[in-house]
Amino acid sequence: MRVHAKRSSTRRLRGALSAVVAVCAVTAALPAAVAAETRGVADDPGAGVERISVAADGTQGDGGSAGASITPDGRHVVFTSAARNLVPGSPPQGEGPYVRDRTAGQIKRVGSHTPLQPPVISGDGAYLAYATPWMRDVRIFSHQVSTGAIAGVDCSAHSCAQPSLSADGRHLALALTFRPPLSGQRVEVQDWETGAKETVADLGHTSAARPSISGDGRRVAYQDGGAGDVFVWDRSTGTSSGPLEGPATTASLVQLSDDGGKVVHRSGPDTYVHDVGSGTAQRVPNVKGLAIDPTGRHLLYAPHDNTGPALVLRDLLTGTDRTVSQQPATAGVDAVSADGRHVVFQSAADDIVPGDTNGTSDVFVRHFPELPER
């Protein structure tokens, strides 16, 4: 999800940001000691782990943190936390979104609303978006991380699934669920620059599922939750292809890679990585696929067999597996940076890094040595 430094969409969205109230965004610098909180991995001596959900002085969070994703360059991590001590001036209750800049050594709370699902972040860490309760409905908010300014767009529906952002933050893909008597679901793409909305699919049920948009905004992978089918919509032609899993099985969507070339879906006990160009799929048996990196080369999965690692990163080109976490852990979409260098995850285990005694869930980043070029 890479973001260009200058884009024409600033005319509409950034204008909206300046026209509404700027929400306080508190930033704190992280000491070098916190950034250096690493620990080696037995099967990969060059790997290490960093705890993300800590305050500027290294103080542990006094509440749980989860729902993290990472930018393609591995620099920015967005997550939600119920902690009150990560930055000064945090609200007394309710979870909030935080952004950690791993390079600059800063952590910031952005906005005062409570996300319904994990927030999503633009590729350069400049903007984040999430759905939040609004009156009797739901609203999508977009925040400018540097200023805390906020713009919102109504879902025009009872609820919205977790949104997905294109690389430049201009296009937002989401699933809308409507109240009876208009009960049903629509998958659509909204353009922050023009305000235009494009319908991807109208579905006659309310089984909401998060769609996934490619970096250039051209393709959207979505799920018909009622039928258990996964499709890919091509914005350039206005047509959908699929079901990707074929006529004899059902599937659940995981993620479309940022380059738009690979779709990860689960069917039965297995995970499949579908190549959009060739129409073929690579089967990864007996694992739960969780995320794919922006290039489509690295799959993050959880083995069904709980006697080994909890999270594993597979190089789909070479078939090589690398352990992300031996301890119990979970992760969501957008959890892997480009080329598999960094993986963000959450865990309540207290032995991933030294000094973890807060007894609650934290967010971590595992980083690996650079792999050879393909």
Side-chain angles (χ1 to χ4, degrees):
M1 302 188 302
R2 297 164 184 78
V3 173
H4 305 298
K6 297 181 180 179
R7 59 178 187 261
S8 58
S9 59
T10 56
R11 293 195 303 272
R12 177 180 176 86
L13 177 57
R14 308 316 167 228
L17 288 170
S18 62
V20 295
V21 177
V23 179
C24 178
V26 182
T27 306
L30 291 158
V34 176
E37 189 182 58
T38 59
R39 178 174 174 175
V41 185
D43 62 354
D44 196 335
V49 64
E50 174 187 0
R51 183 156 54 157
I52 297 297
S53 50
V54 293
D57 60 359
T59 300
Q60 303 177 93
D62 58 8
S65 300
S69 62
I70 194 166
T71 51
D73 62 2
R75 175 170 177 170
H76 296 90
V77 176
V78 62
F79 62 97
T80 58
S81 182
R84 301 290 166 265
N85 61 341
L86 297 185
V87 297
S90 293
Q93 60 185 1
E95 292 187 346
Y98 290 81
V99 176
R100 167 86 176 264
D101 184 331
R102 299 175 60 229
T103 300
Q106 294 180 337
I107 185 169
K108 176 179 291 189
R109 175 165 175 145
V110 182
S112 58
H113 301 282
T114 299
L116 286 173
Q117 304 104 8
V120 292
I121 191 168
S122 61
D124 65 354
Y127 304 98
L128 64 85
Y130 57 87
T132 189
W134 192 257
M135 306 298 184
R136 296 176 61 237
D137 298 309
V138 173
R139 171 167 280 203
I140 300 290
F141 281 115
S142 176
H143 291 266
Q144 188 176 44
V145 175
S146 62
T147 65
I150 180 174
V153 58
D154 290 325
C155 289
S156 302
H158 175 58
S159 67
C160 306
Q162 182 187 17
S164 177
L165 285 174
S166 65
D168 60 2
R170 172 175 172 175
H171 295 98
L172 180 79
L174 68 164
L176 313 173
T177 301
F178 302 97
R179 289 192 184 91
L182 300 175
S183 182
Q185 182 185 130
R186 176 184 302 149
V187 181
E188 70 179 28
V189 172
Q190 298 187 10
D191 187 326
W192 281 103
E193 178 184 347
T194 66
K197 299 178 180 180
E198 296 178 81
T199 297
V200 176
D202 278 313
L203 306 172
H205 56 73
T206 57
S207 300
R210 176 187 185 265
S212 185
I213 195 168
S214 62
D216 60 5
R218 174 184 170 183
R219 292 180 173 135
V220 175
Y222 67 94
Q223 179 180 342
D224 181 336
D229 293 327
V230 174
F231 298 86
V232 174
W233 178 73
D234 191 321
R235 185 165 167 262
S236 64
T237 63
T239 59
S240 292
S241 59
L244 302 187
E245 74 282 0
T249 59
T250 60
S252 59
L253 173 67
V254 177
Q255 185 178 359
L256 174 68
S257 62
D258 191 61
D259 64 7
K262 302 290 177 62
V263 181
V264 179
H265 65 82
R266 299 194 292 260
S267 185
D270 304 328
T271 292
Y272 294 82
V273 182
H274 178 89
D275 188 287
V276 176
S278 68
T280 60
Q282 181 176 350
R283 174 173 169 261
V284 186
N286 201 35
V287 304
K288 180 182 179 181
L290 300 173
I292 195 165
D293 88 300
T295 69
R297 175 174 173 175
H298 302 272
L299 173 72
L300 179 66
Y301 70 83
H304 292 309
D305 180 1
N306 58 11
T307 61
L311 293 176
V312 178
L313 187 69
R314 172 163 295 185
D315 185 333
L316 296 170
L317 185 66
T318 66
T320 303
D321 282 341
R322 294 188 288 180
T323 297
V324 175
S325 178
Q326 289 281 1
Q327 299 87 338
T330 59
V333 296
D334 297 324
V336 188
S337 71
D339 300 320
R341 293 293 308 281
H342 311 279
V343 181
V344 65
F345 63 97
Q346 67 188 57
S347 177
D350 61 6
D351 57 348
I352 295 178
V353 296
D356 186 347
T357 59
N358 61 357
T360 189
S361 174
D362 282 301
V363 172
F364 304 88
V365 167
R366 177 76 69 189
H367 46 90
F368 294 104
E370 187 172 3
L371 290 176
E373 295 290 334
R374 38 175 153 183

